[in-house]
């Protein structure tokens, strides 16, 4: 597929999706979210890809939803079109590990897009905010739910009700960001991290991701039950046997993704 608002590349086993609407600071309209979802699904289905990096520009990861596209819509229109959910949620359904490499503004929908990823690597210049209430709406792509689960009720209320932005360092301290790196290195650092993840067995990494997401989404006992079942499932994999044998033999494992 030919894309107009994103760039798609690969670096060894890593897929890289770059948001590419520089004239709009990568504001998220139906076209860019549709293309992003399509590209993410294609990379997820590609057996040669082990992890996916999503990034924007140095100035803006993504500056929120494209207000020009939605400002005149009625309730009936957004309900019928399933605004947001119909095209935005594709990234959250990817089974392979996803890493957001963020620099500059991750505002509104841009912040929510980063929150859909499994890991966020942030440049020192990154800023995270959900300022929707300041223009008369609320976050609608998971911001009220994902942010609250990560940073807690008090900080989420502060950010969402006031529009307050977090610096990269503040976001790291609250657990929103995994790593803060020097300006200009966020993409290379994310690709290095993704390459390391992709070197492991793909089915085992997917099982681990599923288990962590269950902890994020449900209560402890249900999460522990799923974790045990997924652990037992790894014993059906050749890669589990190879990994343990390699450890015992003090050598690097040769994973075959099966």
């Amino acid at each position: 597929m030919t894309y107009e608002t994103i760039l798609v590349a690969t670096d060894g086993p890593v897929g890289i999706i770059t948001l590419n609407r520089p004239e709009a600071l990568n504001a998220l309209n139906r076209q860019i979210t549709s293309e992003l979802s399509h590209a993410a699904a294609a990379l997820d289905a590609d057996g040669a890809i082990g992890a996916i990096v999503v990034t924007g520009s140095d100035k803006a990861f993504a500056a929120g939803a494209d207000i020009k596209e939605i400002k005149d819509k009625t309730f009936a229109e957004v309900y019928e079109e399933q605004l947001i959910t119909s095209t935005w949620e594709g990234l959250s359904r990817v089974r392979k590990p996803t890493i957001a490499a963020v620099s500059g503004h991750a505002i509104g929908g841009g912040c929510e897009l980063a929150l859909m990823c499994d890991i966020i690597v942030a440049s020192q210049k990154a800023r995270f905010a959900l300022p929707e209430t300041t223009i008369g709406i609320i976050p609608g792509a998971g911001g009220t739910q994902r942010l609250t689960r990560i940073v807690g009720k008090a900080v989420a209320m502060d950010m969402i009700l006031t529009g307050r932005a977090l610096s990269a360092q503040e976001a790291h301290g609250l657990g929103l960001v995994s790593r803060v790196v020097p300006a200009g290195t966020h993409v290379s650092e994310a690709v290095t991290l993704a390459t390391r993840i992709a070197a492991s067995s793909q089915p085992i990494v997917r099982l681990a991701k599923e288990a962590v997401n269950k902890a994020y989404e449900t209560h402890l006992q249900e999460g522990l039950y799923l974790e045990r079942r997924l652990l037992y499932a790894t014993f059906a994999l050749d890669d589990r046997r190879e990994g343990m044998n390699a450890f015992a033999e003090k050598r690097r494992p040769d994973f075959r993704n099966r």
Side-chain angles (χ1 to χ4, degrees):
M1 179 174 176
T2 300
Y3 301 115
E4 296 179 353
T5 61
I6 64 172
L7 304 173
V8 180
T10 59
D11 186 339
V14 178
I16 305 169
I17 302 172
T18 303
L19 307 179
N20 190 38
R21 291 188 73 206
E23 75 286 354
L25 295 179
N26 293 330
L28 301 167
N29 61 11
R30 181 175 289 271
Q31 181 180 10
I32 195 171
T33 54
S34 296
E35 292 185 356
L36 172 62
S37 291
H38 183 279
L43 291 170
D44 198 28
D46 187 341
I49 298 298
I52 301 169
V53 171
V54 179
T55 191
S57 68
D58 284 342
K59 187 175 183 179
F61 176 72
D66 191 334
I67 302 303
K68 293 179 182 178
E69 184 180 63
I70 63 174
K71 68 182 182 66
D72 295 323
K73 290 187 179 294
T74 65
F75 167 79
E77 288 172 333
V78 298
Y79 183 78
E80 179 65 24
E81 295 169 9
Q82 297 184 65
L83 184 69
I84 305 300
T85 56
S86 60
T87 59
W88 287 58
E89 290 290 328
L91 187 62
S92 67
R93 292 190 288 268
V94 170
R95 296 179 68 199
K96 292 175 181 175
T98 55
I99 302 171
V102 178
S103 182
H105 302 293
I107 306 299
C111 182
E112 292 175 299
L113 192 67
L115 288 170
M116 291 179 193
C117 293
D118 301 313
I119 298 170
I120 301 177
V121 174
S123 157
Q124 291 172 331
K125 299 192 301 181
R127 295 292 182 272
F128 300 86
L130 292 173
E132 283 87 347
T133 59
T134 65
I135 61 168
I137 58 173
I138 67 169
T144 64
Q145 304 303 301
R146 293 188 175 98
L147 181 70
T148 304
R149 283 166 169 76
I150 295 169
V151 303
K153 177 183 175 181
V155 175
M157 284 287 193
D158 188 351
M159 291 179 65
I160 291 169
L161 300 185
T162 70
R164 170 193 171 196
L166 296 181
S167 68
Q169 290 75 16
E170 288 176 302
H172 182 262
L174 290 164
L176 180 65
V177 164
S178 172
R179 306 181 186 194
V180 178
V181 299
T185 68
H186 58 293
V187 176
S188 61
E189 291 286 345
V191 170
T192 297
L193 174 58
T195 301
R196 179 177 179 181
I197 293 170
S200 294
S201 165
Q202 287 189 33
I204 287 177
V205 166
R206 286 197 297 269
L207 288 168
K209 172 174 173 172
E210 184 178 348
V212 173
N213 278 336
K214 184 58 69 174
Y216 175 75
E217 295 165 357
T218 190
H219 58 75
L220 178 59
Q221 288 306 314
E222 184 177 346
L224 290 172
Y225 176 66
L226 176 70
E227 179 187 72
R228 281 192 294 272
R229 286 193 293 123
L230 294 176
L231 168 63
Y232 300 157
T234 66
F235 280 75
L237 295 170
D238 291 343
D239 284 343
R240 191 278 312 169
R241 187 176 298 103
E242 166 63 13
M244 289 188 170
N245 286 339
F247 179 82
E249 295 164 11
K250 296 182 170 54
R251 59 176 175 83
R252 292 179 64 86
D254 180 20
F255 292 127
R256 302 297 177 87
N257 298 319
R258 60 190 185 204

